[in-house]
Amino acid sequence: MTTAFQVIEAVGLVLLSMYLSYSLCALVAQPRRLPPHRAPLQFTFIIPALNEAAVIGATLRNLRAAAPGARLVVIDDGSEDGTAAQVEAVGQADPGVRLLRRVPPQARTGKGEALNWAVAQLLQRGLLPDVPLDKQLLVVFDADGRLDEAARVFADPDVMAAQARIRVRQSGAGARGWRGLLGRLLLLQQDLEFYIVRHIQLLRQRVETVGLGGNGQFMRVSYLADRLAAGQDPWPPVLLEDFASGLEVRLASPRHRLVFLESGVTQQGLTDVRRFVRQRARWTHGNLQCFPNLPRIWRTPMPLGARLDLTYFLAQPWLNLLTLGLLVYYPARALGRLLTGEVNWALTAALTLPGLILPLAWVFLYSRENRLGLRQAAFAAAGLPVYTFIMMMSVPLAFRNFLRGEHGWAKTARHAEA
């Protein structure tokens, strides 16, 4: 039994060391300088929408204000509300707004499938600007996204994709009492999480493994056209189609580059715990679907740092499952040692303090950037364990859905904003 305890605790030490090493590297990562000039590019914004009548009009107006010369394309993926009518109403006054409608049984088969279909339609029907495809960018936006500013990095012809920084708007937690408090905690923690993701992306940029997200994703149209012409979908049929699309860019050619953009987008956060857990379970489920790509990663020519980073990312669901087991084991083991007087306090402190100091360092840096007051910073720090617990609830759900083969796609519900 003693040997079993030693093995379990050794696994815990390895996981803690991996987490601390990766987090410290991300903590000190710095942004690169932008190129001094921009290429003359044409932008087409593509917005997958499913029952988004509450937000689609505001999204189109915000995008038009931010990008006056761009084309705005909405994919109505079988909506049952007034989404299509809202888009058509905006399109009557703005000829640069286009509506593409998918109907059953093709509709609601996944966001990646909707994007693949829409790009094929744009190419086949001549709906893109009349300029060379390598001078065009497709920008994927959620129906609640808002553009802050454009980027310059595609002046480099090897850059095939880019991901903008994401910020979470602190709005929508209007309920009173504990529900409102929990909603505000979720909003703040999601923005803090994306702040940490920003640092991770800066680290990934060093090894050319920037991850693509579902909002603020930029893709060169010539790359998309080449993939479709070769009979390959740019967005694979998985629940984490955004990351998978970036992985395909990276694996398609050693020359291809993915870039992280500091200029970013804002999006709604989730204030309901059930919706949040379902969203994170879908993300983890999609990660599990991407895991079979691991052999391709180690066969494809790329730096060792890139292989290690992608391997670590794809292993996250399994590492989180181990962590859940350790979160049950360690308190029980600690209680047993406390009752028998076998606690090594010096070792316990040495193992516990780094795991506490690092999250507090993230809160400090986030609070400094956002100029949070002491009360709000304390709220962010106190909410971290709660947020972590809620996120970990999604891991068993993801594994259950994955093992049952329940790969269906469910769009995260949104709320209207003023």
Side-chain angles (χ1 to χ4, degrees):
M1 183 62 72
T2 301
T3 302
F5 287 151
Q6 290 173 340
V7 170
I8 294 172
E9 289 167 9
V11 171
L13 281 173
V14 170
L15 290 179
L16 179 62
S17 300
M18 291 170 62
Y19 163 74
L20 292 175
S21 299
Y22 193 81
S23 298
L24 285 171
C25 289
L27 194 68
V28 299
Q30 296 295 320
R32 290 179 173 177
R33 291 183 178 180
L34 284 174
H37 63 282
R38 68 172 63 228
L41 300 172
Q42 294 287 329
F43 291 84
T44 296
F45 291 85
I46 191 164
I47 308 160
L50 175 58
N51 295 329
E52 304 281 9
V55 296
I56 192 65
T59 296
L60 292 172
R61 288 189 291 272
N62 285 315
L63 278 175
R64 176 54 71 221
R71 297 196 179 193
L72 312 181
V73 179
V74 177
I75 313 168
D76 180 10
D77 201 28
S79 297
E80 296 172 342
D81 62 357
T83 297
Q86 291 273 352
V87 177
E88 288 172 341
V90 175
Q92 287 179 357
D94 185 347
V97 173
R98 298 274 185 164
L99 174 65
L100 298 178
R101 304 188 69 171
R102 297 219 305 168
V103 296
Q106 287 77 27
R108 301 192 183 193
T109 55
K111 183 178 176 182
E113 285 85 344
L115 290 169
N116 291 324
W117 174 84
V119 173
Q121 291 293 306
L122 293 173
L123 290 166
Q124 292 168 9
R125 294 165 57 182
L127 299 178
L128 292 169
D130 188 20
V131 297
L133 296 181
D134 63 347
K135 302 299 182 184
Q136 298 189 49
L137 296 184
L138 189 94
V139 189
V140 179
F141 250 64
D142 278 352
D144 67 310
R146 295 178 184 174
L147 180 69
D148 291 335
E149 62 179 85
R152 309 181 180 191
V153 295
F154 283 87
D156 181 349
D158 291 334
V159 174
M160 294 295 144
Q163 175 59 46
R165 180 182 179 180
I166 296 175
R167 301 297 305 264
V168 175
R169 298 193 291 275
Q170 303 296 293
S171 62
R176 295 183 179 181
W178 69 269
R179 288 184 182 276
L181 181 67
L182 184 57
R184 290 191 293 275
L185 182 146
L186 284 174
L187 287 173
L188 184 61
Q189 293 296 328
Q190 286 168 83
D191 196 43
L192 171 58
E193 180 186 4
F194 277 113
Y195 173 80
I196 297 172
V197 168
R198 174 237 178 190
H199 278 265
I200 293 173
Q201 293 279 48
L202 292 175
L203 175 63
R204 287 173 172 167
Q205 188 159 242
R206 299 292 176 179
V207 292
E208 306 293 350
T209 57
V210 167
L212 298 185
N215 197 8
Q217 176 188 148
F218 293 68
M219 302 279 276
R220 198 179 290 274
V221 175
S222 57
Y223 163 79
L224 298 174
D226 290 343
R227 293 282 294 184
L228 290 170
Q232 299 171 325
D233 290 334
W235 287 273
V238 297
L239 293 178
L240 202 64
E241 75 290 324
D242 39 26
F243 168 80
S245 66
L247 182 60
E248 291 299 326
V249 171
R250 188 68 182 82
L251 295 175
S253 170
R255 293 179 59 88
H256 288 173
R257 295 184 58 217
L258 296 95
V259 180
F260 178 66
L261 309 176
E262 282 281 16
S263 54
V265 297
T266 66
Q267 67 181 33
Q268 279 187 5
L270 297 179
T271 60
D272 180 83
V273 172
R274 290 185 179 181
R275 290 179 181 177
F276 178 80
V277 171
R278 283 198 299 268
Q279 180 197 65
R280 296 313 170 99
R282 187 174 76 245
W283 292 1
T284 302
H285 186 163
N287 198 323
L288 289 168
Q289 291 177 299
C290 292
F291 192 78
N293 286 300
L294 198 57
R296 293 177 61 201
I297 291 169
W298 285 89
R299 288 196 305 265
T300 302
M302 66 177 72
L304 177 61
R307 289 179 172 145
L308 292 175
D309 177 75
L310 291 170
T311 301
Y312 184 64
F313 180 85
L314 292 177
Q316 282 302 304
W318 304 96
L319 298 179
N320 287 338
L321 196 63
L322 280 174
T323 301
L324 270 177
L326 292 171
L327 288 176
V328 174
Y329 165 81
Y330 274 116
R333 181 69 168 153
L335 179 61
R337 286 180 171 174
L338 185 63
L339 293 174
T340 58
E342 299 176 359
V343 179
N344 185 331
W345 292 107
L347 179 61
T348 300
L351 295 176
T352 303
L353 285 177
L356 293 175
I357 292 174
L358 190 59
L360 292 177
W362 285 120
V363 171
F364 171 76
L365 293 173
Y366 171 79
S367 301
R368 186 176 64 177
E369 179 184 88
N370 293 277
R371 299 180 181 179
L372 299 185
L374 182 60
R375 182 177 177 181
Q376 192 76 345
F379 182 55
L384 268 174
V386 179
Y387 187 70
T388 302
F389 174 76
I390 293 173
M391 278 205 303
M392 295 301 283
M393 288 169 55
S394 68
V395 176
L397 178 60
F399 272 90
R400 187 202 69 175
N401 295 341
F402 177 74
L403 293 174
R404 288 182 175 181
E406 298 175 0
H407 305 312
W409 177 68
K411 180 76 173 67
T412 302
R414 303 294 180 179
H415 56 265
E417 292 180 291

